[in-house]
Amino acid sequence: MPLLALAAIGLAGHVQPARAVILPATTIDGPSEEIVGFGGVAMAEDGSGGLVYLKRVNGVPHLFVSRYVEGHWMAPIQVDHCRLVSSSAEQEEERKREEKGEHCKEAFAASWPRIGAADGGELIVVWATPFATHREKPVYELLGAELGPGSTQFGPAMIVDGDIEEATGTSSNLTVSSTGQADVVYRVVETSNVSVRLLRPGDVVERVRVAHFDGQRWSNLGTINRDPAVGMRPPTQANAPQIAIGQTGNGVVVWQEPDIDGVARIWARRLFGSTLDYVMPVSAETFNGSSISDNADAPSVAVTRLGQADVAYRQNASPGSPLPGPRIFLNILPNGESKSGAEFAGASIADEAPGGKSASIGPPSIDIDEKEDLRLLYDSNGMPRVIEGDDHGLTGALSLGPGFAGPEPLAASVMNPQGGGVSAWPSADAQGNPAVAVREDFSSGAVQTGLVSGGAGGEVGELAVGRSGLGDGLIAFRQGSFGNAAIVAAQVTSPPAELIFSAPKTWVKPAQALISWQPAVSADGPLRYSVVLDGQPQITPAGATSLRLDPLGLGSGRHRVQLLATDIAGQSTLSTPSPLLIDGEPPVVTIARAHGGSGVSVRVRKTFTGIALHDVTVSFGDGHSARGREHFSHRYARAGTYQVVVHVRDLLGNTGVVSRLVSVR
């Protein structure tokens, strides 16, 4: 699809201007009547990742994953292909069966798939499946499986939670750290529990649970509700719990739960590996001194490596509310180093959406980088609204790009730690055909937007964005209604952001011109490198991290050397020039007659580097010699022709010999 808009502003820093590219969409599977669900997309910092979806096999929905490796989507593979195993003996037995090619087929239907990614191509998925019946109704369990680095098949399923009842509104949310640790939050609606007090009509008995994966096994951390004895609002996509973890494996989980008065608020807990911390209130209970009695929903959370958590949520506003209309609120849990991390700082309105009580506000999507800058995306009356902020507060709000489209359009926005990021939302092209709008923000402040679509067209649903943390992102979604749906993915690729190379800092001989560099960090590797000398690329072997320049192409003087890195998408980044000082010539010797024609003068000069005076010698041809100076003068005792021989050497070791016949009278 063509780009809708492109703003070009030069980037400053270690590299020359470079642009990220919104690539055309790829249809992963379909359109097909067998595709019955989509579970999201994930991307690791090294650029690997994958997406997960549901597709019927022999009439039964099963789990399929398409891996993203070195810039390419791989053919989908089935995840739930083997029976459930739990003990080590069963796992070993299953491994032997797979080695023999004896793959079994999981007989039960899969639902609620989610995916996470870690470096090295590691993928982790969770899903629900029925395993028994109770009172003629299916009873589900939550399962997980891992595709390890270098593997081509997922391992056997592991139990995450052995009983999630009927899997009503499970809405799993999975997050994975770069080290391969994972956490999942999900809901369990208990249909047979009649001991819980239901505060509002339609409320249900619901448990919000968390499980932790340490790289080897899943451990269930149990129910995290503030008050399990109080009912919850019926599960919807907009009130699903959310979880985020940092690279250290610590994180924050947020969820919706009514307070004692029956008003649904947003709550949070910190996670420290497999340990749950205490419950903290997130949402505001009052505004301008008056109570807020409308439900808060749609929580979105992001955390930094040090543990700061930013939570955005939607606060509804009915007639009589102290709020002028529905609003997006923001609350921050400090990292504990600069400020106390024991409680949230206090919820405040993130943006003033126009329209009063009739305003339309979509669920927010928030992300935060390691500098604790934030970016928040949401639907404001059908238009994309991006709010930015830093440690001094919110810095501005922008509306840019195609409008939102859909009944409850969900936005997805992720941030690049170097600044900028990737946002996506359901939209439509100029003819009204459904598509996904993609927006790429650059650290310089420049922005580009585009529309992508795939399959046979049709409605867009279940949109998700995964990011590498290096400015690259994967966007995936279902396109087309069930019965003719396709799974579609697009990429936003960013050139290598920083090139670090070294060249000699002082004058060197041509044979000593060695250029070396560190492999650039990129999510679109492997990279190709080329050393550029005075604007001309030099032949650089693939996989090399150093190059000794051809001495024959290096004249003495000042040169410019740069490093060019090109990723698998063809995007290149050129470093800023570095001076290369080459001196391959010996000192210059001048011999002239002096003393009225009865003698000679010898001068030694050097343009770039110094002269090694102790190696300068002169033989005047009459048995006399001298050394150690730049200027020599000699008078001959008698007329005649003499051979003057001068040996010179500079500080780099360039040597020369000059021999000349002189006639004196």
Side-chain angles (χ1 to χ4, degrees):
M1 298 291 288
L3 296 182
L4 295 180
L6 177 63
I9 299 177
L11 303 180
H14 295 88
V15 296
Q16 298 290 347
R19 315 304 302 158
V21 176
I22 301 173
L23 297 176
T26 299
T27 299
I28 305 299
D29 198 350
S32 169
E33 64 180 8
E34 305 299 340
I35 293 175
V36 293
F38 177 64
V41 65
M43 192 178 196
E45 187 169 305
D46 66 356
S48 61
L51 59 79
V52 62
Y53 63 100
L54 295 174
K55 184 177 182 179
R56 284 194 296 251
V57 178
N58 297 324
V60 179
H62 285 288
L63 209 63
F64 286 82
V65 163
S66 176
R67 294 173 294 159
Y68 182 76
V69 181
E70 295 186 353
H72 300 284
W73 290 99
M74 311 298 286
I77 57 176
Q78 186 175 338
V79 177
D80 54 341
H81 57 81
C82 280
R83 65 187 178 88
L84 174 67
V85 297
S86 55
S87 69
S88 58
E90 287 178 318
Q91 291 180 13
E92 178 63 19
E93 179 184 348
E94 193 59 45
R95 184 187 64 80
K96 292 179 180 179
R97 286 173 57 88
E98 289 196 351
E99 288 179 349
K100 296 178 182 179
E102 298 175 355
H103 296 294
C104 50
K105 295 293 183 180
E106 174 63 59
F108 298 115
S111 60
W112 297 111
R114 296 295 184 265
I115 189 168
D119 289 348
E122 180 180 4
L123 295 174
I124 298 172
V125 295
V126 297
W127 71 98
T129 190
F131 71 97
T133 59
H134 179 66
R135 295 179 180 177
E136 299 183 351
K137 292 184 178 180
V139 179
Y140 287 73
E141 57 193 351
L142 191 66
L143 304 180
E146 179 187 19
L147 185 146
S151 300
T152 58
Q153 290 286 337
F154 279 82
M158 296 177 282
I159 294 178
V160 179
D161 191 326
D163 186 355
I164 57 172
E165 300 237 351
E166 297 178 27
T168 303
T170 301
S171 302
S172 306
N173 185 230
L174 174 69
T175 181
V176 179
S177 72
S178 60
T179 60
Q181 296 187 64
D183 290 282
V184 61
V185 61
Y186 54 98
R187 299 183 286 200
V188 177
V189 177
E190 299 180 347
T191 57
S192 60
N193 192 333
V194 296
S195 62
V196 173
R197 184 161 56 103
L198 304 181
L199 301 176
R200 299 283 175 88
D203 280 2
V204 298
V205 180
E206 177 187 302
R207 303 287 184 250
V208 180
R209 297 178 185 171
V210 171
H212 176 73
F213 181 67
D214 62 7
Q216 299 294 326
R217 59 184 297 273
W218 285 94
S219 55
N220 198 301
L221 307 188
T223 298
I224 66 170
N225 299 51
R226 181 186 63 90
D227 186 358
V230 173
M232 305 272 273
R233 296 293 103 91
T236 66
Q237 186 177 17
N239 65 15
Q242 302 293 318
I243 194 168
I245 61 175
Q247 294 180 345
T248 61
N250 297 329
V252 172
V253 57
V254 295
W255 71 97
Q256 182 201 65
E257 181 179 342
D259 61 13
I260 192 63
D261 296 319
V263 180
R265 312 287 188 189
I266 306 300
W267 310 86
R269 285 182 188 243
R270 283 195 186 274
L271 294 173
F272 300 101
S274 58
T275 302
L276 277 167
D277 210 2
Y278 52 85
V279 176
M280 293 176 283
V282 176
S283 53
E285 295 184 1
T286 62
F287 182 75
N288 287 340
S290 298
S291 296
I292 297 175
S293 57
D294 292 289
N295 293 334
D297 66 359
S300 177
V301 60
V303 300
T304 67
R305 181 193 299 268
L306 294 179
Q308 174 169 314
D310 287 14
V311 179
Y313 66 92
R314 176 173 59 185
Q315 179 60 63
N316 297 290
S318 61
S321 170
L323 290 168
R327 290 290 184 265
I328 298 297
F329 274 72
L330 174 68
N331 206 344
I332 296 175
L333 179 64
N335 59 38
E337 290 193 356
S338 57
K339 298 178 182 178
S340 172
E343 60 182 5
F344 280 82
S348 60
I349 293 176
D351 192 22
E352 292 293 336
K357 293 290 195 300
S358 63
S360 173
I361 302 297
S365 175
I366 194 169
D367 199 16
I368 182 173
D369 65 18
E370 296 308 313
K371 296 180 293 185
E372 299 181 352
D373 294 344
L374 69 88
R375 207 151 54 87
L376 172 64
L377 170 68
Y378 73 101
D379 170 13
S380 175
N381 296 310
M383 292 302 297
R385 190 78 165 164
V386 175
I387 302 166
E388 298 176 338
D390 55 26
D391 56 355
H392 299 294
L394 300 181
T395 58
L398 302 170
S399 293
L400 181 65
F404 276 79
E408 173 75 337
L410 296 176
S413 181
V414 294
M415 199 162 188
N416 177 1
Q418 302 301 322
V422 180
S423 304
W425 60 93
S427 188
D429 63 18
Q431 289 72 44
N433 300 312
V436 170
V438 182
R439 167 176 164 147
E440 170 76 354
D441 287 71
F442 303 97
S443 58
S444 65
V447 173
Q448 65 178 351
T449 61
L451 283 174
V452 295
S453 64
E459 67 179 31
V460 171
E462 301 169 285
L463 174 66
V465 172
R467 58 110 159 166
S468 70
L470 301 173
D472 305 81
L474 296 177
I475 298 130
F477 50 95
R478 169 182 56 82
Q479 184 143 30
S481 58
F482 291 119
N484 192 38
I487 303 301
V488 181
Q491 305 145 247
V492 178
T493 68
S494 180
E498 185 175 22
L499 302 180
I500 301 176
F501 76 101
S502 62
K505 303 301 181 185
T506 59
W507 291 91
V508 295
K509 298 169 70 172
Q512 297 172 330
L514 177 66
I515 311 301
S516 61
W517 55 91
Q518 297 180 15
V521 178
S522 172
D524 297 303
L527 301 179
R528 302 193 311 273
Y529 298 96
S530 180
V531 174
V532 180
L533 177 66
D534 296 328
Q536 298 298 316
Q538 308 297 298
I539 298 175
T540 306
T545 56
S546 65
L547 179 69
R548 192 174 297 276
L549 297 175
D550 184 359
L552 299 179
L554 287 173
S556 295
R558 296 177 180 270
H559 298 267
R560 295 191 317 158
V561 65
Q562 296 167 275
L563 183 65
L564 178 70
T566 305
D567 64 21
I568 56 177
Q571 299 176 101
S572 297
T573 297
L574 183 64
S575 70
T576 53
S578 179
L580 179 62
L581 309 176
I582 299 298
D583 189 352
E585 300 175 357
V588 176
V589 177
T590 303
I591 302 174
R593 290 197 300 178
H595 302 292
S598 62
V600 294
S601 172
V602 178
R603 289 185 180 274
V604 182
R605 301 191 316 274
K606 186 63 185 175
T607 303
F608 301 125
T609 56
I611 302 169
L613 293 177
H614 62 282
D615 290 327
V616 176
T617 64
V618 180
S619 173
F620 294 106
D622 61 353
H624 291 84
S625 63
R627 66 183 306 146
R629 300 194 305 273
E630 295 181 22
H631 180 220
F632 302 88
S633 180
H634 179 68
R635 187 189 296 272
Y636 289 93
R638 59 180 62 87
T641 299
Y642 300 91
Q643 185 179 36
V644 179
V645 180
V646 184
H647 291 263
V648 294
R649 183 178 183 274
D650 66 14
L651 296 177
L652 294 180
N654 294 305
T655 60
V657 179
V658 177
S659 178
R660 186 170 300 173
L661 294 175
V662 295
S663 297
V664 297
R665 56 178 184 267

